[in-house]
Amino acid sequence: MDRTVSQIINKALDGGMLTLEEGVELLKWDDLSDEAAAVRLAGRRFSDELLPKAEIHGQVGLNTGLCPADCKFCSFAASNKVFTEPAEEELETVVDYARLLEEAGSNAVYLMATARYDQEQFLAYGRACADALGGKVPLIANVGDFDHDYAVELKKAGFTGIYHAIRLGEGEFTRLPVQQRWDTIHAAQEAGLLIGTCVEPVGPEHSLEEIVEKTIMTREMGARFSGAMRRTPIPTSELAVHGAVAYARMATIVAAVSLITGTNVTGNCTHEPNQLAAFNGANLLWAEVGSNPRDTKDKTEDNRGWTVARCAELLEECGLEVLEGPSAMFA
Ligand code: SF4
């Protein structure tokens, strides 16, 4: 066992903030090495300490493409041509979805829309869902970039927070500048909205430096949760040629994210749900209904989307207890 890796792990467990170089050192080992095994075990123990009960958050996708932001990893990207006609869910359907997710045990409910979705309509859907949920679990917005005024409107509509990420390849494989993503995060925080984020979407071509750099950014955001999600290849995407990262590798990455983000970030998500990551430090999984940017079907519950019950079973198989009631991450 390499002494430097032990020292870095101990620094993280003692509450120290890891540097870029230290994060890379944690990830440079083969996944079957003693060093990678030590990172995974430490990531799991650290996550368990920071958040004693795992969570399941449920997301309702409101619409499908064609999104002009054109993120190459997304099935809604205009250039991927998965959904050739835009489509969206009725208000009543979205409210039913939100209510059903909460009744099934989601600790938070998310509404997701593509980048140019009508902002007023999103607020109307938010107000209706907030009413239906009655404050039992937090409502979170997963939408395109916005300014301070819109952040205030989201808060007034009943949203507790937003999911927002500075993705791997942001500005290069998306039409969204990194600074614009930061501006949205800061506008949300100034309006009193909490942030959830993730290191995503990880592909086999990404260097360890890029992965750790984005992980440190999630720490700097002051997010309530971070984590790591692998990219699901969209067959028509130019990125599909790279394939997908194995879950064995993602387990080590998720564990390292827990150690790198440190004591200020209690949640550590992974997506799509898998036992290797949950056993090695992921404490937040996702249930999905409606549209899904990793799916080529418009109703993800008929294809890739997981139910709350299935997520709960996976977490329990990994020795995690699942929280009942509102999310502790967004408390
Ligand atoms: S990830 Fe979001 S912003 Fe990018 S293409 Fe998909 S819906 Fe649009």
Side-chain angles (χ1 to χ4, degrees), residues 141-180:
N142 181 358
V143 289
D145 292 307
F146 52 77
D147 61 12
H148 175 77
D149 289 350
Y150 192 67
V152 171
E153 292 303 315
L154 286 170
K155 179 85 178 151
K156 274 199 242 166
F159 288 97
T160 298
I162 64 165
Y163 176 86
H164 218 65
I166 298 169
R167 285 79 54 91
L168 286 147
E170 195 78 82
E172 183 183 358
F173 294 103
T174 75
R175 292 194 178 143
L176 307 171
V178 168
Q179 188 55 49
Q180 186 175 304

Side-chain angles (χ1 to χ4, degrees), residues 66-78 112-116 142-144 167 170 174 176 181 293:
L66 309 155
C67 181
D70 211 32
C71 311
K72 298 299 181 193
F73 41 78
C74 174
S75 62
F76 308 143
M112 180 203 67
T114 59
R116 300 290 182 272
N142 181 358
V143 289
R167 285 79 54 91
E170 195 78 82
T174 75
L176 307 171
R181 308 292 286 170

Side-chain angles (χ1 to χ4, degrees), residues 89-162:
E89 302 288 357
E90 299 290 334
L91 176 68
E92 295 71 24
T93 309
V94 171
V95 170
D96 281 348
Y97 270 144
R99 203 184 282 120
L100 288 170
L101 283 170
E102 186 276 324
E103 285 169 6
S106 284
N107 307 107
V109 172
Y110 292 53
L111 300 186
M112 180 203 67
T114 59
R116 300 290 182 272
Y117 191 83
D118 185 276
Q119 289 191 320
E120 286 306 315
Q121 183 164 316
F122 188 82
L123 291 173
Y125 277 39
R127 282 189 286 269
C129 289
D131 269 359
L133 295 173
K136 285 190 284 237
V137 295
L139 184 65
I140 310 296
N142 181 358
V143 289
D145 292 307
F146 52 77
D147 61 12
H148 175 77
D149 289 350
Y150 192 67
V152 171
E153 292 303 315
L154 286 170
K155 179 85 178 151
K156 274 199 242 166
F159 288 97
T160 298
I162 64 165

Side-chain angles (χ1 to χ4, degrees), residues 253-281:
I253 294 173
V254 164
V257 168
S258 177
L259 296 172
I260 297 166
T261 52
T263 48
N264 291 340
V265 184
T266 52
N268 193 31
C269 78
T270 200
H271 204 54
E272 293 171 332
N274 68 93
Q275 287 179 329
L276 282 171
F279 189 69
N280 290 289

Side-chain angles (χ1 to χ4, degrees), residues 36-325:
V39 168
R40 291 194 298 271
L41 181 60
R44 169 66 189 261
R45 287 183 175 160
F46 196 48
S47 286
D48 283 359
E49 202 176 298
L50 292 175
L51 194 79
K53 292 189 182 176
E55 299 192 14
I56 301 162
H57 294 186
Q59 176 158 276
V60 185
L62 269 50
N63 70 318
T64 59
L66 309 155
C67 181
D70 211 32
C71 311
K72 298 299 181 193
F73 41 78
C74 174
S75 62
F76 308 143
S79 68
N80 285 338
K81 298 185 174 65
V82 175
F83 299 100
T84 50
E85 295 293 331
E88 55 186 68
E89 302 288 357
E90 299 290 334
L91 176 68
E92 295 71 24
T93 309
V94 171
V95 170
D96 281 348
Y97 270 144
R99 203 184 282 120
L100 288 170
L101 283 170
E102 186 276 324
E103 285 169 6
S106 284
N107 307 107
V109 172
Y110 292 53
L111 300 186
M112 180 203 67
T114 59
R116 300 290 182 272
Y117 191 83
D118 185 276
Q119 289 191 320
E120 286 306 315
Q121 183 164 316
F122 188 82
L123 291 173
Y125 277 39
R127 282 189 286 269
C129 289
D131 269 359
L133 295 173
K136 285 190 284 237
V137 295
L139 184 65
I140 310 296
N142 181 358
V143 289
D145 292 307
F146 52 77
D147 61 12
H148 175 77
D149 289 350
Y150 192 67
V152 171
E153 292 303 315
L154 286 170
K155 179 85 178 151
K156 274 199 242 166
F159 288 97
T160 298
I162 64 165
Y163 176 86
H164 218 65
I166 298 169
R167 285 79 54 91
L168 286 147
E170 195 78 82
E172 183 183 358
F173 294 103
T174 75
R175 292 194 178 143
L176 307 171
V178 168
Q179 188 55 49
Q180 186 175 304
R181 308 292 286 170
W182 273 118
D183 290 348
T184 298
I185 288 162
H186 292 143
Q189 287 172 322
E190 281 161 20
L193 294 162
L194 302 175
I195 309 294
T197 192
C198 183
V199 178
E200 56 119 322
V202 182
E205 77 280 15
H206 293 129
S207 69
L208 299 183
E209 285 77 11
E210 281 176 283
I211 293 168
V212 176
E213 182 198 29
K214 286 292 188 296
T215 306
I216 291 173
M217 273 189 192
T218 69
R219 181 174 83 197
E220 289 169 347
M221 278 175 207
R224 309 313 291 257
F225 67 81
S226 180
M229 179 190 84
R230 76 174 184 177
R231 187 178 63 228
T232 298
I234 301 298
T236 48
S237 164
E238 67 182 71
L239 298 173
V241 67
H242 298 295
V245 180
Y247 278 136
R249 177 91 280 239
M250 287 307 299
T252 312
I253 294 173
V254 164
V257 168
S258 177
L259 296 172
I260 297 166
T261 52
T263 48
N264 291 340
V265 184
T266 52
N268 193 31
C269 78
T270 200
H271 204 54
E272 293 171 332
N274 68 93
Q275 287 179 329
L276 282 171
F279 189 69
N280 290 289
N283 52 22
L284 168 57
L285 297 184
W286 300 89
E288 293 174 291
V289 293
S291 63
N292 170 356
R294 286 166 309 283
D295 211 332
T296 52
K297 300 261 194 271
D298 57 355
K299 300 263 188 209
T300 197
E301 61 270 35
D302 297 334
N303 198 36
R304 298 194 77 89
W306 281 53
T307 62
V308 174
R310 195 174 165 206
C311 291
E313 189 184 342
L314 186 155
L315 289 165
E316 284 158 10
E317 290 282 0
C318 295
L320 288 148
E321 194 178 340
V322 180
L323 179 74
E324 287 180 20

